[in-house]
Amino acid sequence: MKRRNVVKRSAILIVLGFTTFFGFQANSQTVNIFIESIEARHPAPDTTPEKYEGSQTVKGLMNAFDAVYNQKYSKAKVIALCDGGVVYSSELAISGEIDARHSRVEWLQMLLQRGITIEDFDDYRIYLSKRHTLAFLEDNPDLRKIGFLSMPLMDDQNTYKVAYIDKLVAKRVEDHKKQIERAKKRIESAKERIAHATKQPNPKQVEHATKQIEHATKQLRRAQEALERFQKPTPPPQQPNRNMRKKSPYPPL
């Protein structure tokens, strides 16, 4: 735990999560604000695809996104602000420090085996950055003891890591369910507009609503397929992926 002053920096901070909490006590301090952020280097041309259409494998995802991830981001920060000016903070480099603690190869494998789908570069950077929040919790026993972020109380770090992954999975499942509901509502709304425009008649409105249905249908299908992955998670490999470990520049756990 350390106290920090706000310093102006030229780097760009991308806030991954910003949540206000009330009622959590750590060393008689109430945790009021929790922030997860990632520090970006100066913007570079973005050549990553808008949507990832490849296989949901560690090798496929890393081939698509890892070079850009290393190029664009330097470090991740996690901060919990408490009453009285007490600050719990963690700052780890994207490559090296965090990879030594939680290998990105093994991290991605755990997520994929549990059914997580990486749909685009944003998913990739956010899920890799969640390792920093886990490291933050591991390094601050006062926060673990109060069940901060609704984490279960446990001392074993491996069990705690699995519980943390469980929370990421539960959040993703809930997100997919909300996506499905939103897509269904958009489809129904567009159908109503088509029925209304047909009576007018209004061909342009019909065409516009039809395109909305097509777009919402694609979103619905993607969310449904992603949700099915949680019901049929990827089985673990029969033996360790030794070839990938040998080729990976990142140190194992």
Side-chain angles (χ1 to χ4, degrees), residues 52-204:
Y52 177 69
E53 302 294 344
S55 60
Q56 290 292 318
T57 62
V58 173
K59 183 177 180 180
L61 291 166
M62 293 186 75
N63 285 343
F65 298 128
D66 214 54
V68 177
Y69 180 76
N70 291 333
Q71 178 186 16
K72 295 184 73 170
Y73 304 111
S74 58
K75 63 182 68 174
K77 300 180 180 180
V78 185
I79 302 173
L81 305 177
C82 308
D83 285 345
V86 178
V87 178
Y88 292 83
S89 66
S90 175
E91 182 176 304
L92 294 172
I94 292 296
S95 297
E97 288 183 89
I98 192 63
D99 289 318
R101 294 185 61 169
H102 298 293
S103 160
R104 67 181 75 182
V105 172
E106 294 183 4
W107 185 260
L108 289 169
Q109 189 66 56
M110 286 182 68
L111 293 173
L112 294 175
Q113 287 176 3
R114 292 296 306 279
I116 292 286
T117 301
I118 307 295
E119 298 181 353
D120 50 32
F121 182 69
D122 278 345
D123 277 348
Y124 190 80
R125 68 176 174 84
I126 289 173
Y127 277 112
L128 279 189
S129 298
K130 290 297 181 182
R131 297 177 300 163
H132 296 260
T133 303
L134 177 59
F136 169 79
L137 292 170
E138 290 172 340
D139 293 341
N140 289 282
D142 289 338
L143 295 179
R144 292 204 312 274
K145 289 177 182 177
I146 62 169
F148 186 58
L149 299 183
S150 300
M151 285 291 294
L153 305 179
M154 54 184 65
D155 295 325
D156 182 74
Q157 286 201 351
N158 287 331
T159 306
Y160 193 82
K161 181 178 179 178
V162 172
Y164 181 76
I165 295 288
D166 287 343
K167 288 192 66 64
L168 296 182
V169 169
K171 176 65 166 58
R172 190 66 165 184
V173 168
E174 187 63 27
D175 288 343
H176 286 315
K177 289 180 178 179
K178 290 179 180 179
Q179 289 172 357
I180 289 173
E181 291 305 313
R182 287 195 297 267
K184 288 180 177 179
K185 288 180 180 179
R186 284 195 292 269
I187 291 172
E188 291 303 316
S189 177
K191 286 180 177 179
E192 291 177 3
R193 290 198 300 275
I194 289 176
H196 181 73
T198 303
K199 296 176 181 179
Q200 295 294 323
N202 191 332
K204 288 186 177 181

